[in-house]
Amino acid sequence: MEKERIIPASELIINEDGSVFHIHLKPEQLRDNIIFVGDPGRVDMVASYFDTIEFEVSSREFHTIGGSYKGKPVMVISHGIGPDNIEIVMTELDALANVDFKTRKVKDEHRTLNIIRIGTSGSLQEDLHIGDFVIADKGTGFDGILNFYAHRDKVCDLEFERLFCEHTGWDKTWAAPYTVDADRELVERIGRNDMRRGFTIAAVGFYAPQGRMVRLKLKDPNLNEKIESFRYEGRPITNFEMESACLQGLAKLMGHRAMTVCCIIAERRANNANTDYKPKVRHLVETVLDRM
């Protein structure tokens, strides 16, 4: 980034109280260790494990609580549903870390954030069951957001993308998929033998982009079968969710560390789903906090 550029007020909106536009956090509230969750209501559950709570901020779907866990400063923030929300939260957190709000210039010294998204997901393979935990070793985004950023090829697995598009006969009217690895250091820290390391599809929607049909027909009714049969270096695509690729891609471009780990709550091939998944998600939260 150009350090001497003055970022216009229309491109980085700062509220009158000195907080960043959407998530309403101030630079002094930022923590280096951050838990992402989709549901604003899940923020309170995560924060219930904190030793101390130092602040709480809510704005739209963005709910944040900052404090400490076992003496380590930490915060949890909800991002809502979808990759577009991830772009907002990631851009504003990075601005809090690396932009001087007074001069509107990029700081000389880069600050790196550690971000772990805890989510829910649907499995695409028969050996993944409800209650299993899956790390998005690679996240493949169907949303196209990363394609709007310069240097996306430097952080993406281009061979995976090429082979995936060939195998699925990817429709050229859809956004070009992009594939980004999770941060290796975080994966080694969080992942143990109780978590599967998988390849995750981050869909751009919940229904048709994940092969669900309610009333409207699907353009490619066989897309899920193609995804399930795809192999890269002998490994299959394991699960669907909606945010891992955008999170991991933007983090790499911005110089942060990020990963996603999900609890399986639906078995797409067996047509099973579990709406009583909160105890499993709570266990996943406890596990991530202890290893973070």
Side-chain angles (χ1 to χ4, degrees), residues 104-119:
R104 291 185 164 274
K105 294 180 180 180
V106 175
K107 295 177 181 177
D108 291 330
E109 186 174 343
H110 181 271
R111 181 177 177 183
T112 301
L113 305 176
N114 301 308
I115 301 165
I116 302 172
R117 191 181 93 76
I118 299 173

Side-chain angles (χ1 to χ4, degrees), residues 168-219:
T168 57
W170 192 255
D171 193 302
K172 293 183 179 179
T173 65
W174 299 338
Y178 59 91
T179 299
V180 189
D181 289 352
D183 180 79
R184 294 272 71 80
E185 181 182 330
L186 278 185
V187 169
E188 291 302 319
R189 190 189 310 173
I190 302 300
R192 309 280 171 83
N193 58 8
D194 55 352
M195 295 181 185
R196 170 91 166 261
R197 299 189 185 187
F199 296 159
T200 298
I201 296 293
V204 70
F206 184 78
Y207 290 98
Q210 295 187 38
R212 291 184 172 95
M213 187 170 67
V214 181
R215 281 206 320 119
L216 299 180
K217 293 183 178 180
L218 304 177
K219 185 168 187 182

Side-chain angles (χ1 to χ4, degrees), residues 80-91:
I81 297 175
D84 50 340
N85 280 11
I86 291 290
E87 189 209 27
I88 289 171
V89 175
M90 282 298 295
T91 301

Side-chain angles (χ1 to χ4, degrees), residues 18-229:
S19 64
V20 70
F21 187 52
H22 292 93
I23 62 177
H24 277 253
L25 293 179
K26 299 176 182 178
E28 61 267 24
Q29 293 174 315
L30 183 66
R31 304 291 186 265
D32 288 340
N33 298 297
I34 306 171
I35 299 288
F36 273 24
V37 294
D39 182 359
R42 198 173 293 159
V43 170
D44 290 310
M45 185 269 281
V46 175
S48 70
Y49 293 97
F50 291 1
D51 306 322
T52 62
I53 291 178
E54 295 159 19
F55 69 87
E56 181 172 5
V57 177
S58 289
S59 175
R60 308 185 192 192
E61 60 265 64
F62 311 115
H63 180 199
T64 309
I65 296 178
S68 64
Y69 179 77
K70 295 186 176 179
K72 178 182 290 188
V74 65
M75 58 185 266
V76 54
I77 183 169
S78 61
H79 52 71
I81 297 175
D84 50 340
N85 280 11
I86 291 290
E87 189 209 27
I88 289 171
V89 175
M90 282 298 295
T91 301
E92 296 190 359
L93 288 175
D94 179 69
L96 291 170
N98 293 303
V99 175
D100 186 318
F101 276 26
K102 293 181 180 179
T103 65
R104 291 185 164 274
K105 294 180 180 180
V106 175
K107 295 177 181 177
D108 291 330
E109 186 174 343
H110 181 271
R111 181 177 177 183
T112 301
L113 305 176
N114 301 308
I115 301 165
I116 302 172
R117 191 181 93 76
I118 299 173
T120 55
S121 181
S123 71
L124 291 169
Q125 301 299 329
E126 292 179 346
D127 61 344
L128 267 177
H129 304 292
I130 290 171
D132 289 348
F133 300 152
V134 183
I135 290 173
D137 225 21
K138 292 183 185 290
T140 296
F142 286 179
D143 53 88
I145 287 177
L146 213 67
N147 302 335
F148 288 87
Y149 286 89
H151 311 303
R152 60 83 82 192
D153 285 3
K154 294 182 179 179
V155 301
C156 290
D157 188 329
L158 303 182
E159 182 67 2
F160 186 107
E161 295 170 6
R162 183 185 68 81
L163 293 173
F164 178 82
C165 288
E166 287 180 0
H167 181 83
T168 57
W170 192 255
D171 193 302
K172 293 183 179 179
T173 65
W174 299 338
Y178 59 91
T179 299
V180 189
D181 289 352
D183 180 79
R184 294 272 71 80
E185 181 182 330
L186 278 185
V187 169
E188 291 302 319
R189 190 189 310 173
I190 302 300
R192 309 280 171 83
N193 58 8
D194 55 352
M195 295 181 185
R196 170 91 166 261
R197 299 189 185 187
F199 296 159
T200 298
I201 296 293
V204 70
F206 184 78
Y207 290 98
Q210 295 187 38
R212 291 184 172 95
M213 187 170 67
V214 181
R215 281 206 320 119
L216 299 180
K217 293 183 178 180
L218 304 177
K219 185 168 187 182
D220 184 353
N222 300 314
L223 180 59
N224 275 19
E225 293 179 10
K226 298 172 187 175
I227 291 171
E228 291 161 6
S229 64

Side-chain angles (χ1 to χ4, degrees), residues 256-273:
H256 303 301
R257 292 185 282 267
M259 63 167 284
T260 291
V261 58
C262 287
C263 177
I264 297 297
I265 65 168
E267 298 175 29
R268 296 299 305 278
R269 295 185 70 171
N271 292 320
N272 291 330

